[in-house]
Amino acid sequence: MRFATRARIRGARTLEEAQDLAVNLRSGALPAAIEIVQSRTVEASLGADSIRHGVQAGAVGLAAVVAVMLLYYRWAGANATLALLLNGVLLIAALACFGAVLTLPGIAGAVLTVGMAVDSNVLIFERIREELRGGKSAGAALAAGFSKAFGTLVDTHVTTVVSCAFLFFFGTPAVKGFAATLVIGLITNLFTSVFVSRVAFDWELRSRASKLSIGLAG
Protein backbone atom coordinates (compact mmCIF):
# COMPACT_ATOMS: atom_id res chain seq x y z
CA MET A 1 0.00 0.00 0.00
CA ARG A 2 1.36 3.39 -0.97
CA PHE A 3 0.36 6.81 0.19
CA ALA A 4 0.87 9.85 -1.99
CA THR A 5 1.57 13.10 -0.21
CA ARG A 6 1.36 16.42 -1.96
CA ALA A 7 2.00 19.90 -0.63
CA ARG A 8 1.53 23.30 -2.16
CA ILE A 9 3.12 26.57 -1.01
CA ARG A 10 1.33 29.71 -2.05
CA GLY A 11 2.28 33.35 -1.85
CA ALA A 12 4.87 33.76 -4.62
CA ARG A 13 3.73 36.53 -6.88
CA THR A 14 6.22 35.90 -9.70
CA LEU A 15 8.10 32.96 -11.14
CA GLU A 16 11.39 34.29 -9.79
CA GLU A 17 10.07 34.39 -6.24
CA ALA A 18 8.86 30.81 -6.59
CA GLN A 19 12.24 29.69 -7.89
CA ASP A 20 14.05 31.50 -5.08
CA LEU A 21 11.79 29.85 -2.52
CA ALA A 22 12.43 26.44 -4.05
CA VAL A 23 16.18 27.02 -3.91
CA ASN A 24 15.97 28.02 -0.26
CA LEU A 25 13.95 24.94 0.61
CA ARG A 26 16.34 22.63 -1.20
CA SER A 27 19.38 24.26 0.37
CA GLY A 28 17.99 23.58 3.84
CA ALA A 29 18.01 19.87 3.13
CA LEU A 30 21.72 19.81 2.35
CA PRO A 31 23.91 18.11 4.96
CA ALA A 32 25.72 20.60 7.18
CA ALA A 33 28.56 19.65 9.52
CA ILE A 34 28.22 20.60 13.21
CA GLU A 35 31.29 21.40 15.26
CA ILE A 36 30.80 21.25 19.05
CA VAL A 37 32.74 24.11 20.62
CA GLN A 38 31.65 23.68 24.26
CA SER A 39 29.23 21.44 26.15
CA ARG A 40 27.89 21.90 29.69
CA THR A 41 25.65 19.60 31.68
CA VAL A 42 23.64 20.57 34.76
CA GLU A 43 22.42 17.58 36.73
CA ALA A 44 19.97 17.21 39.59
CA SER A 45 22.90 16.36 41.87
CA LEU A 46 23.57 20.08 42.25
CA GLY A 47 20.31 20.53 44.14
CA ALA A 48 20.90 17.31 46.09
CA ASP A 49 24.31 18.56 47.22
CA SER A 50 22.81 21.84 48.39
CA ILE A 51 20.11 20.06 50.37
CA ARG A 52 22.64 17.67 51.89
CA HIS A 53 24.89 20.53 52.97
CA GLY A 54 21.85 22.36 54.37
CA VAL A 55 20.85 19.33 56.43
CA GLN A 56 24.41 18.96 57.70
CA ALA A 57 24.55 22.62 58.69
CA GLY A 58 21.22 22.31 60.49
CA ALA A 59 22.36 19.19 62.35
CA VAL A 60 25.61 20.83 63.46
CA GLY A 61 23.76 23.96 64.58
CA LEU A 62 21.21 21.88 66.50
CA ALA A 63 23.97 19.92 68.25
CA ALA A 64 25.72 23.15 69.26
CA VAL A 65 22.49 24.64 70.59
CA VAL A 66 21.70 21.50 72.61
CA ALA A 67 25.22 21.47 74.09
CA VAL A 68 25.00 25.11 75.18
CA MET A 69 21.54 24.64 76.70
CA LEU A 70 22.65 21.57 78.66
CA LEU A 71 25.82 23.24 79.93
CA TYR A 72 24.19 26.50 80.96
CA TYR A 73 20.71 25.45 82.13
CA ARG A 74 21.44 21.87 83.24
CA TRP A 75 18.17 19.98 83.81
CA ALA A 76 16.17 22.86 82.41
CA GLY A 77 18.33 22.55 79.31
CA ALA A 78 17.31 18.90 79.07
CA ASN A 79 13.66 19.99 79.18
CA ALA A 80 14.35 22.49 76.41
CA THR A 81 16.08 19.81 74.36
CA LEU A 82 13.09 17.51 74.73
CA ALA A 83 10.75 20.29 73.61
CA LEU A 84 13.08 21.12 70.72
CA LEU A 85 13.20 17.53 69.46
CA LEU A 86 9.43 17.18 69.73
CA ASN A 87 9.09 20.44 67.83
CA GLY A 88 11.16 18.99 64.99
CA VAL A 89 9.08 15.80 64.92
CA LEU A 90 5.83 17.77 64.79
CA LEU A 91 7.21 20.02 62.06
CA ILE A 92 8.24 17.09 59.87
CA ALA A 93 4.90 15.35 60.52
CA ALA A 94 2.98 18.49 59.50
CA LEU A 95 5.01 18.84 56.31
CA ALA A 96 4.37 15.18 55.53
CA CYS A 97 0.62 15.62 56.07
CA PHE A 98 0.55 18.53 53.62
CA GLY A 99 2.67 16.60 51.12
CA ALA A 100 5.36 19.27 51.13
CA VAL A 101 8.78 18.64 49.61
CA LEU A 102 11.76 19.59 51.77
CA THR A 103 13.78 22.10 49.77
CA LEU A 104 16.68 24.35 50.67
CA PRO A 105 14.39 27.28 51.65
CA GLY A 106 12.36 24.85 53.73
CA ILE A 107 15.50 23.74 55.56
CA ALA A 108 16.31 27.39 56.20
CA GLY A 109 12.85 27.84 57.71
CA ALA A 110 13.35 24.78 59.92
CA VAL A 111 16.72 26.07 61.13
CA LEU A 112 15.18 29.46 61.95
CA THR A 113 12.46 27.59 63.85
CA VAL A 114 15.18 26.05 66.03
CA GLY A 115 16.44 29.53 66.82
CA MET A 116 12.95 30.74 67.71
CA ALA A 117 12.41 27.69 69.91
CA VAL A 118 15.63 28.29 71.82
CA ASP A 119 14.75 31.95 72.24
CA SER A 120 11.36 30.98 73.68
CA ASN A 121 12.89 28.58 76.18
CA VAL A 122 15.54 31.08 77.25
CA LEU A 123 12.85 33.71 77.84
CA ILE A 124 10.86 31.31 80.03
CA PHE A 125 13.93 30.15 81.95
CA GLU A 126 15.09 33.67 82.69
CA ARG A 127 11.63 34.61 83.92
CA ILE A 128 11.65 31.65 86.28
CA ARG A 129 15.12 32.57 87.55
CA GLU A 130 13.95 36.12 88.25
CA GLU A 131 11.07 34.76 90.31
CA LEU A 132 13.43 32.44 92.21
CA ARG A 133 15.78 35.34 92.97
CA GLY A 134 12.75 37.25 94.26
CA GLY A 135 12.31 34.67 97.00
CA LYS A 136 9.44 32.60 95.62
CA SER A 137 9.26 28.86 95.98
CA ALA A 138 10.05 26.62 93.05
CA GLY A 139 6.40 25.91 92.26
CA ALA A 140 5.34 29.55 92.52
CA ALA A 141 8.33 30.71 90.46
CA LEU A 142 7.53 28.13 87.79
CA ALA A 143 3.90 29.21 87.53
CA ALA A 144 4.76 32.91 87.49
CA GLY A 145 7.55 32.47 84.98
CA PHE A 146 5.38 30.67 82.45
CA SER A 147 2.48 33.05 83.02
CA LYS A 148 4.55 36.21 82.46
CA ALA A 149 6.44 34.80 79.48
CA PHE A 150 3.34 33.51 77.68
CA GLY A 151 2.12 36.94 76.55
CA THR A 152 5.54 37.87 75.18
CA LEU A 153 5.81 34.57 73.32
CA VAL A 154 2.39 34.96 71.71
CA ASP A 155 3.24 38.52 70.66
CA THR A 156 6.53 37.56 69.01
CA HIS A 157 5.05 34.52 67.28
CA VAL A 158 2.02 36.41 65.94
CA THR A 159 4.14 39.24 64.52
CA THR A 160 6.43 36.72 62.84
CA VAL A 161 3.46 34.85 61.37
CA VAL A 162 2.10 38.12 59.94
CA SER A 163 5.47 38.79 58.31
CA CYS A 164 5.50 35.28 56.88
CA ALA A 165 1.99 35.83 55.48
CA PHE A 166 3.27 38.76 53.40
CA LEU A 167 6.21 36.66 52.23
CA PHE A 168 3.87 33.84 51.24
CA PHE A 169 1.40 35.97 49.27
CA PHE A 170 3.91 38.24 47.54
CA GLY A 171 7.12 36.18 47.38
CA THR A 172 8.57 33.78 44.86
CA PRO A 173 7.96 30.02 45.19
CA ALA A 174 11.22 29.59 47.11
CA VAL A 175 10.25 32.35 49.55
CA LYS A 176 6.79 30.80 49.92
CA GLY A 177 8.37 27.50 50.95
CA PHE A 178 10.47 29.27 53.56
CA ALA A 179 7.46 31.17 54.93
CA ALA A 180 5.21 28.10 55.07
CA THR A 181 7.82 26.01 56.91
CA LEU A 182 8.50 28.81 59.38
CA VAL A 183 4.79 29.32 60.15
CA ILE A 184 4.29 25.62 60.84
CA GLY A 185 7.42 25.61 63.00
CA LEU A 186 6.20 28.61 64.99
CA ILE A 187 2.87 26.95 65.72
CA THR A 188 4.50 23.73 66.89
CA ASN A 189 7.09 25.72 68.84
CA LEU A 190 4.45 27.62 70.79
CA PHE A 191 2.94 24.30 71.83
CA THR A 192 6.19 22.57 72.77
CA SER A 193 7.89 25.51 74.52
CA VAL A 194 4.87 26.25 76.71
CA PHE A 195 2.97 23.04 77.33
CA VAL A 196 5.58 20.32 76.82
CA SER A 197 8.23 22.24 78.73
CA ARG A 198 5.77 22.94 81.55
CA VAL A 199 4.91 19.25 81.86
CA ALA A 200 8.63 18.41 82.01
CA PHE A 201 9.17 20.99 84.78
CA ASP A 202 6.22 19.65 86.77
CA TRP A 203 7.66 16.15 86.52
CA GLU A 204 11.04 17.50 87.70
CA LEU A 205 9.44 19.18 90.71
CA ARG A 206 7.72 15.95 91.74
CA SER A 207 10.83 13.82 91.27
CA ARG A 208 13.32 16.20 92.93
CA ALA A 209 11.28 17.21 95.99
CA SER A 210 10.17 20.64 94.71
CA LYS A 211 13.63 21.69 93.52
CA LEU A 212 14.57 23.18 90.17
CA SER A 213 17.85 23.02 88.30
CA ILE A 214 17.65 26.01 86.01
CA GLY A 215 21.16 27.37 85.72
CA LEU A 216 24.81 27.03 86.67
CA ALA A 217 23.97 27.91 90.24
CA GLY A 218 20.80 25.77 90.33
Side-chain angles (χ1 to χ4, degrees):
M1 183 179 294
R2 294 182 180 180
F3 295 93
T5 303
R6 295 182 180 180
R8 179 179 296 180
I9 300 176
R10 298 180 179 179
R13 291 171 293 183
T14 62
L15 180 61
E16 293 181 356
E17 290 183 1
Q19 291 176 346
D20 292 339
L21 180 60
V23 171
N24 292 330
L25 293 175
R26 286 194 296 268
S27 64
L30 295 176
I34 299 176
E35 181 181 357
I36 300 177
V37 178
Q38 188 177 13
S39 176
R40 294 183 180 181
T41 303
V42 179
E43 299 180 355
S45 60
L46 179 62
D49 289 339
S50 300
I51 293 177
R52 184 173 63 254
H53 291 317
V55 172
Q56 291 175 353
V60 172
L62 178 62
V65 167
V66 169
V68 171
M69 294 295 288
L70 291 176
L71 290 175
Y72 189 78
Y73 288 108
R74 294 191 177 182
W75 282 107
N79 294 346
T81 302
L82 175 63
L84 190 61
L85 294 177
L86 183 58
N87 185 18
V89 172
L90 292 176
L91 175 59
I92 295 175
L95 292 176
C97 289
F98 289 114
V101 179
L102 191 60
T103 60
L104 197 59
I107 295 174
V111 172
L112 184 55
T113 300
V114 173
M116 294 289 292
V118 172
D119 181 69
S120 301
N121 284 282
V122 168
L123 179 61
I124 294 173
F125 295 165
E126 292 301 323
R127 284 286 190 179
I128 296 174
R129 292 176 70 176
E130 288 179 2
E131 299 297 330
L132 290 174
R133 286 193 293 265
K136 291 186 178 181
S137 62
L142 184 64
F146 274 92
S147 177
K148 292 181 179 180
F150 182 75
T152 305
L153 292 178
V154 171
D155 180 58
T156 55
H157 282 63
V158 169
T159 53
T160 307
V161 168
V162 171
S163 301
C164 290
F166 282 98
L167 292 176
F168 185 83
F169 287 111
F170 299 104
T172 60
V175 175
K176 289 182 179 180
F178 169 80
T181 305
L182 183 57
V183 168
I184 296 174
L186 290 174
I187 295 173
T188 57
N189 172 55
L190 190 61
F191 169 74
T192 55
S193 62
V194 175
F195 297 101
V196 175
S197 183
R198 179 62 185 272
V199 171
F201 272 118
D202 290 338
W203 177 83
E204 183 183 355
L205 285 177
R206 291 193 300 267
S207 62
R208 301 186 67 219
S210 299
K211 293 183 180 179
L212 284 178
S213 176
I214 197 166
L216 295 176

